[in-house]
Short mmCIF file of all heavy atoms in Angstrom, two decimals:
data_model
loop_
_atom_site.label_atom_id
_atom_site.label_comp_id
_atom_site.label_asym_id
_atom_site.label_seq_id
_atom_site.Cartn_x
_atom_site.Cartn_y
_atom_site.Cartn_z
N ASN A 21 99.85 111.37 125.99
CA ASN A 21 98.90 112.45 125.76
C ASN A 21 99.28 113.71 126.60
O ASN A 21 98.93 113.78 127.77
CB ASN A 21 97.51 111.98 126.21
CG ASN A 21 96.51 112.17 125.14
OD1 ASN A 21 96.66 113.10 124.30
ND2 ASN A 21 95.51 111.33 125.11
N PRO A 29 82.90 116.87 127.11
CA PRO A 29 83.27 117.24 125.72
C PRO A 29 84.63 117.85 125.58
O PRO A 29 84.84 119.00 125.93
CB PRO A 29 82.17 118.17 125.30
CG PRO A 29 81.04 117.86 126.26
CD PRO A 29 81.59 117.20 127.47
N ASN A 36 87.64 123.93 116.16
CA ASN A 36 87.83 123.24 114.90
C ASN A 36 88.06 124.27 113.78
O ASN A 36 87.46 125.35 113.86
CB ASN A 36 86.63 122.38 114.63
CG ASN A 36 86.71 121.70 113.26
OD1 ASN A 36 87.80 121.25 112.90
ND2 ASN A 36 85.65 121.71 112.54
N ARG A 101 99.12 118.44 103.20
CA ARG A 101 97.88 118.10 103.87
C ARG A 101 97.90 118.40 105.35
O ARG A 101 96.99 118.01 106.11
CB ARG A 101 97.48 116.67 103.62
CG ARG A 101 96.93 116.33 102.27
CD ARG A 101 95.83 117.35 101.95
NE ARG A 101 94.84 116.80 101.04
CZ ARG A 101 94.01 117.60 100.35
NH1 ARG A 101 94.05 118.91 100.49
NH2 ARG A 101 93.12 117.07 99.58
N PHE A 103 99.59 116.93 107.65
CA PHE A 103 99.38 115.69 108.33
C PHE A 103 99.80 115.71 109.82
O PHE A 103 99.03 115.24 110.71
CB PHE A 103 100.13 114.56 107.62
CG PHE A 103 100.35 113.32 108.45
CD1 PHE A 103 99.23 112.56 108.87
CD2 PHE A 103 101.62 112.93 108.83
CE1 PHE A 103 99.42 111.44 109.68
CE2 PHE A 103 101.78 111.83 109.64
CZ PHE A 103 100.68 111.08 110.05
N LEU A 129 91.09 106.22 125.15
CA LEU A 129 90.58 105.11 125.90
C LEU A 129 91.65 104.05 126.19
O LEU A 129 91.49 103.20 127.01
CB LEU A 129 89.40 104.45 125.16
CG LEU A 129 88.14 105.30 124.99
CD1 LEU A 129 87.16 104.58 124.12
CD2 LEU A 129 87.52 105.59 126.35
N THR A 139 89.47 105.80 133.71
CA THR A 139 89.90 104.77 134.63
C THR A 139 88.74 104.30 135.47
O THR A 139 88.57 103.08 135.72
CB THR A 139 90.97 105.36 135.62
OG1 THR A 139 91.98 105.94 134.83
CG2 THR A 139 91.56 104.31 136.52
N GLN A 143 87.32 100.50 135.76
CA GLN A 143 87.22 99.81 137.04
C GLN A 143 85.83 99.28 137.28
O GLN A 143 85.67 98.15 137.80
CB GLN A 143 87.67 100.74 138.18
CG GLN A 143 89.15 100.86 138.26
CD GLN A 143 89.64 101.98 139.21
OE1 GLN A 143 88.85 102.79 139.68
NE2 GLN A 143 90.94 102.05 139.42
N VAL A 145 83.74 98.30 135.04
CA VAL A 145 83.60 97.11 134.17
C VAL A 145 84.33 95.93 134.80
O VAL A 145 83.78 94.81 134.95
CB VAL A 145 84.15 97.40 132.71
CG1 VAL A 145 84.24 96.09 131.91
CG2 VAL A 145 83.28 98.42 132.00
N ARG A 190 76.50 84.69 122.90
CA ARG A 190 75.76 84.80 121.61
C ARG A 190 75.66 86.28 121.18
O ARG A 190 75.57 87.17 122.02
CB ARG A 190 74.33 84.27 121.75
CG ARG A 190 74.36 82.81 122.18
CD ARG A 190 73.18 82.10 121.58
NE ARG A 190 73.19 80.67 121.98
CZ ARG A 190 72.07 79.98 122.19
NH1 ARG A 190 70.89 80.54 122.05
NH2 ARG A 190 72.16 78.70 122.56
N HIS A 198 64.71 86.32 113.15
CA HIS A 198 65.32 84.98 113.34
C HIS A 198 66.62 85.09 114.12
O HIS A 198 67.04 84.15 114.78
CB HIS A 198 65.62 84.34 111.97
CG HIS A 198 64.42 84.21 111.11
ND1 HIS A 198 64.13 85.04 110.09
CD2 HIS A 198 63.34 83.31 111.18
CE1 HIS A 198 63.00 84.63 109.46
NE2 HIS A 198 62.47 83.61 110.17
N GLU A 211 69.96 82.26 134.05
CA GLU A 211 71.46 82.29 133.94
C GLU A 211 71.92 83.27 132.87
O GLU A 211 73.06 83.13 132.44
CB GLU A 211 71.91 80.87 133.60
CG GLU A 211 71.81 79.86 134.71
CD GLU A 211 72.96 80.05 135.67
OE1 GLU A 211 74.00 80.64 135.28
OE2 GLU A 211 72.81 79.69 136.83
N ARG A 232 62.70 92.42 122.58
CA ARG A 232 62.36 90.96 122.53
C ARG A 232 63.05 90.24 123.71
O ARG A 232 62.44 89.38 124.32
CB ARG A 232 62.82 90.30 121.21
CG ARG A 232 62.17 90.73 119.95
CD ARG A 232 60.66 90.48 119.86
NE ARG A 232 59.94 91.56 120.50
CZ ARG A 232 59.84 92.83 120.05
NH1 ARG A 232 60.39 93.15 118.89
NH2 ARG A 232 59.15 93.73 120.71
N PRO A 265 68.71 99.66 135.28
CA PRO A 265 69.13 100.41 136.53
C PRO A 265 70.51 101.06 136.37
O PRO A 265 71.35 100.58 135.63
CB PRO A 265 69.22 99.28 137.56
CG PRO A 265 69.29 98.00 136.80
CD PRO A 265 68.69 98.24 135.41
N GLU A 320 109.34 105.08 108.20
CA GLU A 320 109.26 103.85 109.02
C GLU A 320 107.97 103.80 109.82
O GLU A 320 107.91 103.15 110.84
CB GLU A 320 110.45 103.81 109.98
CG GLU A 320 111.77 103.56 109.27
CD GLU A 320 112.92 104.23 110.02
OE1 GLU A 320 112.89 104.15 111.28
OE2 GLU A 320 113.79 104.84 109.34
N ASN A 343 91.44 93.34 99.28
CA ASN A 343 91.13 92.08 99.85
C ASN A 343 91.87 91.88 101.17
O ASN A 343 93.10 92.11 101.23
CB ASN A 343 91.45 90.95 98.86
CG ASN A 343 91.08 89.62 99.36
OD1 ASN A 343 91.80 88.94 100.04
ND2 ASN A 343 89.86 89.23 99.08
N GLU A 362 86.94 100.62 107.35
CA GLU A 362 87.39 101.26 106.12
C GLU A 362 86.22 101.87 105.33
O GLU A 362 86.29 103.03 104.85
CB GLU A 362 88.20 100.34 105.25
CG GLU A 362 89.48 99.88 105.93
CD GLU A 362 90.67 99.87 104.96
OE1 GLU A 362 90.53 100.20 103.79
OE2 GLU A 362 91.77 99.52 105.44
N VAL A 370 83.20 113.67 98.99
CA VAL A 370 83.45 115.11 99.05
C VAL A 370 84.50 115.46 100.07
O VAL A 370 84.65 114.74 101.03
CB VAL A 370 82.13 115.95 99.30
CG1 VAL A 370 81.12 115.81 98.21
CG2 VAL A 370 81.53 115.58 100.66
N GLY A 404 91.79 87.08 87.20
CA GLY A 404 90.63 87.92 86.85
C GLY A 404 91.12 89.22 86.17
O GLY A 404 92.25 89.60 86.25
N ALA A 408 92.90 92.66 92.74
CA ALA A 408 92.77 93.57 93.89
C ALA A 408 94.06 93.41 94.72
O ALA A 408 94.58 92.30 94.86
CB ALA A 408 91.55 93.23 94.73
N TRP A 422 100.45 71.37 116.35
CA TRP A 422 100.61 70.60 115.09
C TRP A 422 101.42 71.34 114.10
O TRP A 422 100.91 72.18 113.32
CB TRP A 422 99.22 70.27 114.50
CG TRP A 422 98.41 69.41 115.41
CD1 TRP A 422 98.68 68.11 115.76
CD2 TRP A 422 97.21 69.78 116.10
NE1 TRP A 422 97.74 67.60 116.59
CE2 TRP A 422 96.82 68.63 116.81
CE3 TRP A 422 96.45 70.93 116.17
CZ2 TRP A 422 95.61 68.63 117.59
CZ3 TRP A 422 95.32 70.90 116.92
CH2 TRP A 422 94.93 69.79 117.66
N GLU A 520 73.06 107.07 107.70
CA GLU A 520 71.94 107.81 108.38
C GLU A 520 70.74 107.98 107.47
O GLU A 520 69.62 107.85 107.87
CB GLU A 520 72.41 109.18 108.92
CG GLU A 520 73.63 109.19 109.79
CD GLU A 520 73.55 108.23 111.01
OE1 GLU A 520 72.42 107.92 111.39
OE2 GLU A 520 74.60 107.80 111.50
#
Side-chain angles (χ1 to χ4, degrees):
N21 235 330
N36 176 41
R101 281 313 206 197
F103 161 65
L129 295 175
T139 308
Q143 281 168 352
V145 169
R190 300 213 179 147
H198 303 104
E211 287 282 338
R232 293 301 82 71
E320 290 150 41
N343 184 269
E362 295 223 0
V370 296
W422 297 294
E520 305 306 337

